[in-house]
């Protein structure tokens, strides 16, 4: 059996009902399941520890695997070929009845369905069901039920509907044989305390699978109209972003996992099942390109409403990230009983970055608002006042140090990217002044914008490095400097912009042609991280802006090749071995692909 420490992150595929998520390995094992929300305690967590729960369905003996998502959906079909026959396992987190189009994921049954069909010969299959709720801390006893198994635990129960008898108290096992043309279904339902549980019939399971396929196809038909380079990859990335959306609020999680390491055996293991303000403008631009206007507006509305609930930004530091329901207190805890993927400890839940101060978020929110120009005037006085307060806060606080876009856990510094995004906040607020009814504030914003520009040009440019630097007065290089031309702070043909793009390409690009985040950062944590997928797409984007289209395509293709067999990206890639690292799938990586493809397409057209 393949141990969890040896199973690559690339072996997994994502299932989502736009509220919770599962990861399914190539061998048919569900090794991660969080229901009813992305950030709920896991029900299976073999991803992080061999004993923390799984559910597999796979052939007995030797087999080969081929898999893909079914058309424009997030329904996974895995084909297992053996000497005696072939079976297909179709996996989905079920959509609710009458869902699809604009309402995908609003009301869901919290059910994982698995349909197995023999398409050739005869195949014997093994089924093993080992639920371990609360991140593997609970080892519940299974109770037989008519047509399945009941698994009660503290915060609810699981009801497994199975066409085959499974035996065992904490881990249930069974086998079945299917001949060509035979088809059976399984369903695993999460039921909260006081909820209604039931055994799902074969007809119920087939119906749920059909509804889910139709819902995703309906959503794709309404939303996915991008035409341009790498169209299939852009459309898949758009579906991944939808899959990472918590539909009841519109929040988008950075990833559906926690503690997949940035370096095997290292300490950079974080919980990403939350929604970051930092990602706002990146995400909205990608959603707009991938033709998901409804999701873009829902995300912006949720983010602005959640952030503005704290009051004017000029009086209160904005929080960096929120829970998908708008939760603010996200205190970090360590799960000492889990060994971690690849032995990477600690395993964390919660994220203490919520306590950090990051000045860039003023610019990201106002840049997001700028994407909705023409509609900002429709906001109520509270909403417009909040956006104005973001610019006021940028003007008041841009001189202060912070923890940067990379959420460095060392001392605060005067990061160039943070100053840049304060400039963006002021620049976009000035452009939106008429819609905000903020004409009286424009003179002060204009002065502050000029001051930020002067600071970046005089102290953020390193003659020694020959590029814009990581922090004011530093000679270290940081890939976030690529955002200077992307945001419009400098024109793409500006000599300093070109020099910075060239420096990143030369000095931050590793042996596999992928870009690292920075030369060095002071965070006091052990382990060397991998190349950052988003930064490679930033480089492709920046090269396209500077007119280096063939080079942009080359960089894009190298980054795009890092996707696994079903097109999913992690956060990082090992620069030597090429294995995926970090939480998976990572929204920022897919966002980077969409935005870079769009930029290259525009450059080619020009």
């Amino acid at each position: 059996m393949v141990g969890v420490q040896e199973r690559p992150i690339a072996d997994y595929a994502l299932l989502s009902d736009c509220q919770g998520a599962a990861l399914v390995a190539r061998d048919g094992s569900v090794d991660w399941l969080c229901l009813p929300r992305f950030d709920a305690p896991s029900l299976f967590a073999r991803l992080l520890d061999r004993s923390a729960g799984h559910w597999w369905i796979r052939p007995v003996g030797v087999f080969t695997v081929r898999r893909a998502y079914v058309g424009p959906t997030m329904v996974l079909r895995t084909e297992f070929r053996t000497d005696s026959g072939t079976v297909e396992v179709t996996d989905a987190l079920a959509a609710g009845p009458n869902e699809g189009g604009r309402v995908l994921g609003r009301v869901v049954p919290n059910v994982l369905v698995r349909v197995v069909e023999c398409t050739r010969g005869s195949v014997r299959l093994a089924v093993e069901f080992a639920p371990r709720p609360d991140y593997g801390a609970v080892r519940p006893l299974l109770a037989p039920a008519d047509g399945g198994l009941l698994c009660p635990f503290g915060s609810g129960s699981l009801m497994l509907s199975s066409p085959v008898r499974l035996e065992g108290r904490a881990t249930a096992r069974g086998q079945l044989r299917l001949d060509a043309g035979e088809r059976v279904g399984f369903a695993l339902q999460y039921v909260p305390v006081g909820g209604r549980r039931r055994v799902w019939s074969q007809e119920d399971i087939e119906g749920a699978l059909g509804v889910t396929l139709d819902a995703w196809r309906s959503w794709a038909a309404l939303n996915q109209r991008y035409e341009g380079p790498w169209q299939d990859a852009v459309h898949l990335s758009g579906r991944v972003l939808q899959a990472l959306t918590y539909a009841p609020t519109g929040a988008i999680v950075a990833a559906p996992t926690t503690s997949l390491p940035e370096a095997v055996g290292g300490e950079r293991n974080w919980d990403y099942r939350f929604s970051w303000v930092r990602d706002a403008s990146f995400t909205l631009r990608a959603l707009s390109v991938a033709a998901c206007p409804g999701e873009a507006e829902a995300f912006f509305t949720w983010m602005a409403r959640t952030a503005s609930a704290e009051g004017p930004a000029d009086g209160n530091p904005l929080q960096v990230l929120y829970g998908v329901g708008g939760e603010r207190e996200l205190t970090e805890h360590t799960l000492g009983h889990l060994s971690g993927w690849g032995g990477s400890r600690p395993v964390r839940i919660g994220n203490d970055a919520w306590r950090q101060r990051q000045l860039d978020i003023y610019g990201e929110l106002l840049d997001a608002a700028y994407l909705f120009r023409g509609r900002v005037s429709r906001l109520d006085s509270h909403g417009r006042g909040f956006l104005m307060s973001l610019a006021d806060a940028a003007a008041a606080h841009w001189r202060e140090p912070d923890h940067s876009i990379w959420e460095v856990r060392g001392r605060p510094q005067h990061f160039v990217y943070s100053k840049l995004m304060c400039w963006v906040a002021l620049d976009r607020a000035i452009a939106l002044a008429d819609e905000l009814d903020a004409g009286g504030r424009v003179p002060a914003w204009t002065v502050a914008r000029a001051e930020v520009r002067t600071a970046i040009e005089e102290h953020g440019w390193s003659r020694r490095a020959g590029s814009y630097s990581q922090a004011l007065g530093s000679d270290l290089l940081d890939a976030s400097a690529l955002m200077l031309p992307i945001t419009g702070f400098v024109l793409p043909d500006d000599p300093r912009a070109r020099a910075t793009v060239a420096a990143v390409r030369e000095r931050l690009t590793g042996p596999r042609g992928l870009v690292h985040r920075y030369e060095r950062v002071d965070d006091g944590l052990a382990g060397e991280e991998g190349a950052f997928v988003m930064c490679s797409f930033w480089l492709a984007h920046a090269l396209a802006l500077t007119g280096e289209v063939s080079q942009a395509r080359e960089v894009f293709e190298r980054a795009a090749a890092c996707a696994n067999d079903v097109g999913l990206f992690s956060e990082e890639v090992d620069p030597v071995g090429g294995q995926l690292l970090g939480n998976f799938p990572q929204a920022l990586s897919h966002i980077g692909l969409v935005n870079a493809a769009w930029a290259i397409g525009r450059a080619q057209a020009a």
Side-chain angles (χ1 to χ4, degrees), residues 231-451:
Q231 181 172 305
D232 289 345
V234 169
H235 284 177
L236 174 59
S237 290
R239 292 193 293 276
V240 171
L241 293 178
Q242 172 65 19
L244 298 179
T245 299
Y246 183 67
T249 63
I252 298 177
V253 295
T257 56
T258 181
S259 299
L260 292 181
E262 297 175 17
V264 180
E267 300 176 73
R268 295 184 179 90
N269 316 318
W270 317 113
D271 193 346
Y272 275 11
R273 299 171 298 161
F274 308 110
S275 194
W276 266 256
V277 176
R278 171 201 65 205
D279 300 347
S281 58
F282 303 140
T283 304
L284 289 175
R285 195 171 298 277
L287 289 173
S288 299
V289 170
C292 309
E295 285 68 23
E297 189 157 359
F299 178 57
F300 174 72
T301 300
W302 174 81
M303 183 63 75
R305 183 176 62 245
T306 302
S308 66
E310 299 180 60
D314 54 338
N316 301 284
L318 276 185
Q319 190 160 310
V320 174
L321 66 151
Y322 299 92
V324 295
E327 296 83 3
R328 288 170 167 73
E329 199 279 324
L330 304 172
T331 300
E332 200 170 279
H333 302 281
T334 296
L335 301 180
H337 65 284
L338 296 178
S339 61
W341 185 91
S344 303
R345 286 179 160 174
V347 172
R348 297 178 170 96
I349 57 172
N351 196 309
D352 276 348
W354 74 278
R355 305 178 190 272
Q356 288 187 352
R357 189 172 196 194
Q358 294 177 28
L359 300 177
D360 57 293
I361 61 179
Y362 303 131
E364 275 123 14
L365 277 172
L366 273 164
D367 194 45
Y370 183 70
L371 292 174
F372 284 99
R373 58 191 179 278
R375 283 176 277 180
V376 170
S377 59
R378 302 178 200 169
L379 295 173
D380 59 21
S381 58
H382 174 74
R384 293 195 305 274
F386 172 67
L387 292 178
M388 287 188 282
S389 77
L390 292 172
D392 292 339
H397 301 298
W398 71 266
R399 295 176 180 83
E400 299 168 10
D402 73 341
H403 292 89
S404 91
I405 183 177
W406 307 130
E407 295 172 1
V408 175
R409 298 213 172 185
R411 61 182 178 83
Q413 298 182 54
H414 290 279
F415 290 100
V416 168
Y417 179 81
S418 299
K419 311 304 181 189
L420 166 66
M421 295 313 293
C422 286
W423 179 91
V424 169
L426 294 159
D427 183 72
R428 305 312 191 250
I430 292 167
L432 292 169
D434 289 343
E435 289 190 68
L436 293 172
D437 194 20
R441 302 193 193 196
V442 169
W445 290 344
T446 302
V447 169
R449 181 179 63 175
E451 291 173 344

Side-chain angles (χ1 to χ4, degrees), residues 502-518:
V504 169
R505 193 175 188 199
E506 178 183 347
R507 290 163 48 194
L508 291 184
T509 299
R512 302 182 70 87
L514 301 173
V515 179
H516 289 256
R517 288 193 285 186
Y518 34 63

